[in-house]
Amino acid sequence: MSAISTGQAVILGVVEGVTEFLPVSSTGHLKITEGLMHIPVDDKAVVAFTAVIQVGAIAAVLLYFSKDIVRFVSAWARGIANRELRDRHDYKFTWWVIYATLPVVAVGLAAKPLIEGPLASLWVVAGSLIVGSGLMWAADQMGRHKRGEDDTSLKDAMLVGGSQILALLFPGFSRSGATMSTGLILDLDRVAATRLSFFLGLPALTGAGLYELKDALGGGVAATPLVVGTVVSFVVAYASIAWLLKFVAKHSFNAFVIYRVVVGVLLFGLLGTHVLTP
């Protein structure tokens, strides 16, 4: 029997699609949802399943930002062929995304046993939701929101990309939350910080999904739930991306901060009363 049913895959696909790019922690919400459905959150096949369905959300980013991505890749290819074009921002930005992905890949491979074991606990998720909220609130207050996407540098990309490690090690911290907060601390405006978060997430999340595919299938998850969960996450994530970019253009991150604290406190309560097991 598959470790995850098709019906459960639909629910998890919706949760993944809604939360992957919102700064509320998709991993945390997936683990909470799995706990409520009595799916073992530390099962290797389940951990792999959640990584695989992220590919659906990544596909939504690829489609939504297809014009930007084609522009970056084209500039990169032209720069490779013509040295005179290598000073252009789009060429350099593409390299920066690649460089900024290397630290999180290295930590992900080195810390895989911890990530799939002790750090997969719902206690960690609850604490990370609340601690990450404090960082997000402070970053939004500290940031001067004066720099746009064209003002980004290699330093910005490395610091924002490196912050993904926090979410990798502490599920509940939120990859989007960590990267957007770092961008705000570096004085990027909210839209620029959000778009940078999207672009920096592409290589790491795609690679993680493809890498985990064998563990999901080999660990007892049937192909049908994997496909269903991935397709659902794609459709829902596309709508979520469009909404988020419109929201951050006019609003602060305070709504996400409050939501995260409420969910974190509620999760502590559910764990403390044994309604959920960690």
Side-chain angles (χ1 to χ4, degrees):
M1 181 178 292
S2 174
I4 294 176
S5 70
T6 301
Q8 290 171 330
V10 171
I11 295 172
L12 293 174
V14 171
V15 173
E16 164 63 22
V18 170
T19 62
E20 179 59 55
F21 301 110
L22 300 185
V24 297
S25 177
S26 62
T27 302
H29 279 74
L30 285 168
K31 289 186 180 300
I32 293 170
T33 305
E34 289 161 1
L36 291 172
M37 293 193 295
H38 305 292
I39 299 172
V41 298
D42 57 350
D43 186 306
K44 288 186 176 180
V46 175
V47 173
F49 173 87
T50 60
V52 172
I53 64 173
Q54 286 177 339
V55 175
I58 289 299
V61 174
L62 291 172
L63 179 60
Y64 192 91
F65 293 106
S66 57
K67 291 182 179 179
D68 295 290
I69 293 169
V70 168
R71 189 181 84 242
F72 290 137
V73 174
S74 297
W76 182 76
R78 290 195 300 270
I80 292 292
N82 186 344
R83 183 183 297 272
E84 294 179 358
L85 301 177
R86 295 179 187 177
D87 286 333
R88 297 187 177 182
H89 185 270
D90 288 350
Y91 170 81
K92 293 187 287 186
F93 183 81
T94 307
W95 275 116
W96 298 343
V97 170
I98 296 171
Y99 297 152
T101 302
L102 298 179
V104 71
V105 171
V107 173
L109 293 174
K112 194 170 187 288
L114 284 174
I115 295 168
E116 294 181 350
L119 294 178
S121 168
L122 288 176
W123 287 111
V124 176
V125 172
S128 298
L129 278 166
I130 294 174
V131 173
S133 299
L135 173 63
M136 188 181 303
W137 179 83
D140 210 7
Q141 301 302 309
M142 291 168 54
R144 289 178 287 179
H145 315 294
K146 67 176 185 178
R147 300 171 58 209
E149 188 174 325
D150 291 339
D151 299 318
T152 54
S153 64
L154 174 58
K155 176 185 175 182
D156 297 327
M158 294 302 296
L159 290 173
V160 174
S163 70
Q164 295 178 111
I165 294 171
L166 288 171
L168 182 67
L169 295 177
F170 305 106
F173 209 97
S174 172
R175 190 202 65 83
S176 296
T179 51
M180 290 177 192
S181 296
T182 304
L184 292 177
I185 291 171
L186 294 170
D187 292 330
L188 294 176
D189 63 50
R190 294 187 185 98
V191 173
T194 302
R195 283 173 57 87
L196 184 58
S197 173
F198 284 133
F199 294 135
L200 287 172
L202 283 172
L205 294 178
T206 302
L210 296 177
Y211 179 81
E212 297 285 2
L213 181 59
K214 65 181 187 306
D215 290 339
L217 292 172
V221 178
T224 298
L226 272 175
V227 172
V228 169
T230 303
V231 170
V232 170
S233 74
F234 165 77
V235 174
V236 177
Y238 190 90
S240 179
I241 292 166
W243 177 84
L244 178 61
L245 287 171
K246 291 179 181 178
F247 180 86
V248 298
K250 299 180 179 179
H251 302 85
S252 72
F253 288 151
N254 288 345
F256 296 120
V257 170
I258 295 170
Y259 172 79
R260 288 170 57 104
V261 171
V262 170
V263 173
V265 171
L266 178 61
L267 182 54
F268 270 127
L270 292 173
L271 291 169
T273 56
H274 304 292
V275 174
L276 284 177
T277 57

